Amino acid sequence: MSIKKGIFTSESVSRGHPDKVCDQISDAILDAFLHEQPDARLGCETLVSKNTVIVAGEYRGPEAVWQTLEGIARNCVRSIGYEQDDFHWETFVFQNFMHGQSADIAKGVDASEGKDEGAGDQGLMFGYAVNEAPEFMPAPLYYAHRILQGIEDYRNNEDDGNKLGPDAKSQVTLRFDGGKPVGLERVVISSQHIEGLNSEDVKDIVKPIASALLPAEWVANLADEEWLVNPTGIFVKGGPAADCGLTGRKIIVDTYGGTAPHGGGAFSGKDPTKVDRSAAYAARYLAKNIVAAGLAEKCLIQISYAIGKPEPTSLFLDTFGTSKIAPEKIEQRLFEVIGDKMSGLTPRGIREHLKLNAPIYQTTAAFGHFGRAPSGNGDFTWENTDLVDDFDGIT
């Protein structure tokens, strides 16, 4: 999408949102398998509800890890901060319906003599980068994520942080002109809180946090009534006790906030042979490097695969008329780069180049998979701009 003029909104959700609780459990389980066996296979779905956590799916890896899934889920929920009567990390009911991976899937994916590793499923994936916010991210989503990260830091580090609960959402509406964000139209924040507070009390806490994370001139020009905090008034009951959660229901939050297409496949709980995840990371990596190299202001890349086949079935590039040189020349260099660096975007080539067989995934499962590198974490390799030199010299 190319936003020329008008207003656009993106949202984010906190670590304690029920769907994000599920994403984090699924990815914590994936990390446990990859820690013990880097080529383990996993497709893990999680469901949470009132005092209940259920995991289901398929795996191929150490049986001993399967025995530890309950402890993994409890540690994950504990780290998020749920100690409520109707959803507590110590007391929730846990059910494990994981089973072994289908031999038919394994046969299609595994490498064999004369055959490279195939894609774990058919599908189409998108990667996007735009020069309108730090880390080449869409500005509405970038600031929506930052607000919730700021609230999370407040909860974890301030003496009165326990006034807010784990469940929260943010929504940022920006005004665009000439294809660039030029002002703030509205901020919506819904945050779970303790008994005895009202929406004005919560606003007094979260508005200063959010204001410090947004451009100062935008905040100065935003009327107080355009800060919508806990619009229903009270938000005491939250998390899985109030709403059922499922893995993979926040795919727009996870990616580009609606400013770019989405192929439909979720990320969390999937090992990197599953191109829903690994190829989406690769597409973002390539798009970001093209924009970082100054070849375009915006870049969208689509990749598609057939199950069991190593090579992509298609590759599409769009710079929305913002490229400095002919798009076909960028595309030509793109094919050269992926052939040289990533074995033609085969699942194996992507995994090896981006080092995706490491236990890095639980950290990805909140605040977006793109546009950030958590403190001390150099594992978001798809956010590197180490291909910029490869795109230099195109004329």
Side-chain angles (χ1 to χ4, degrees):
M1 179 185 295
S2 184
I3 307 168
K4 294 292 187 182
K5 188 177 180 67
I7 62 173
F8 194 87
T9 301
S10 294
E11 71 163 351
S12 182
V13 298
S14 69
R15 291 185 67 210
H17 184 281
D19 295 331
K20 278 290 147 199
V21 173
C22 294
D23 287 346
Q24 289 166 90
I25 292 172
S26 292
D27 273 339
I29 289 171
L30 172 60
D31 283 349
F33 275 100
L34 293 179
H35 183 269
E36 296 300 319
Q37 183 179 318
D39 64 349
R41 302 288 167 79
L42 187 79
C44 177
E45 312 293 343
T46 302
L47 178 148
V48 295
S49 188
K50 185 176 181 179
N51 220 36
T52 303
V53 173
I54 299 170
V55 297
E58 63 284 340
Y59 69 95
R60 191 174 77 197
E63 195 71 19
V65 176
W66 184 88
Q67 303 289 342
T68 69
L69 300 195
E70 179 173 350
I72 292 169
R74 293 194 187 281
N75 287 336
C76 190
V77 172
R78 183 182 186 183
S79 74
I80 294 168
Y82 276 112
E83 295 186 342
Q84 301 168 180
D85 290 342
D86 41 13
F87 192 74
H88 195 294
W89 66 271
E90 284 187 306
T91 60
F92 65 69
V93 176
F94 179 79
Q95 294 179 280
N96 179 1
F97 294 102
M98 297 289 294
H99 58 79
Q101 185 187 54
S102 162
D104 292 341
I105 294 175
K107 182 179 180 181
V109 174
D110 289 349
S112 59
E113 187 173 352
K115 173 184 171 294
D116 198 0
E117 176 184 298
D121 201 352
Q122 74 172 52
L124 48 128
M125 303 85 211
F126 290 92
Y128 182 67
V130 57
N131 193 13
E132 66 184 34
E135 300 302 327
F136 304 101
M137 285 295 287
L141 180 65
Y142 175 79
Y143 290 112
H145 282 325
R146 289 199 77 197
I147 287 170
L148 289 187
Q149 287 175 302
I151 292 172
E152 174 86 358
D153 290 343
Y154 171 85
R155 288 187 59 246
N156 291 332
N157 299 316
E158 298 300 322
D159 291 340
D160 60 348
N162 60 357
K163 289 182 178 179
L164 303 182
D167 195 357
K169 284 186 173 183
S170 66
Q171 190 170 282
V172 173
T173 302
L174 299 184
R175 183 171 65 257
F176 283 75
D177 194 7
K180 295 290 186 180
V182 295
L184 186 61
E185 289 285 311
R186 191 163 293 109
V187 177
V188 181
I189 301 172
S190 295
S191 178
Q192 186 183 11
H193 58 82
I194 61 173
E195 293 274 7
L197 300 186
N198 58 37
S199 58
E200 286 301 315
D201 296 325
V202 176
K203 187 174 183 177
D204 287 342
I205 296 171
V206 301
K207 183 180 174 182
I209 295 170
S211 296
L213 298 170
L214 292 161
E217 64 275 17
W218 291 1
V219 173
N221 293 322
L222 186 67
D224 186 67
E225 59 265 25
E226 301 301 340
W227 289 85
L228 304 180
V229 177
N230 284 8
T232 61
I234 300 296
F235 185 8
V236 172
K237 194 176 185 66
D243 259 325
C244 177
L246 291 170
T247 299
R249 285 204 301 197
K250 287 293 175 281
I251 57 176
I252 301 304
V253 172
D254 284 345
T255 53
Y256 307 105
T259 59
H262 195 293
F267 298 157
S268 291
K270 295 178 180 178
D271 75 78
T273 66
K274 295 170 177 59
V275 286
D276 276 344
R277 182 170 217 160
S278 56
Y281 288 178
R284 159 65 179 177
Y285 174 62
L286 294 168
K288 182 176 181 178
N289 274 271
I290 287 170
V291 176
L295 297 182
E297 292 290 310
K298 301 178 183 182
C299 182
L300 175 75
I301 291 176
Q302 185 205 55
I303 312 169
S304 67
Y305 290 86
I307 188 168
K309 299 297 183 181
E311 301 287 346
T313 55
S314 68
L315 189 146
F316 168 81
L317 179 146
D318 190 358
T319 58
F320 306 95
T322 69
S323 59
K324 308 298 191 296
I325 60 173
E328 57 268 24
K329 292 187 176 181
I330 300 175
E331 188 173 277
Q332 181 182 350
R333 179 60 60 87
L334 176 64
F335 278 107
E336 293 170 355
V337 170
I338 63 179
D340 180 47
K341 304 286 187 177
M342 306 173 80
S343 300
L345 286 178
T346 64
R348 177 185 55 79
I350 293 170
R351 287 189 302 101
E352 290 179 355
H353 183 74
L354 295 179
K355 301 178 175 62
L356 297 182
N357 282 108
I360 59 174
Y361 294 102
Q362 186 179 350
T363 313
T364 70
F367 308 122
H369 291 245
F370 307 124
R372 65 191 184 96
S375 179
N377 187 334
D379 296 323
F380 283 36
T381 53
W382 52 93
E383 290 300 311
N384 293 340
T385 53
D386 53 345
L387 296 181
V388 166
D389 290 345
D390 294 275
F391 287 108
D392 276 350
I394 307 176
T395 58

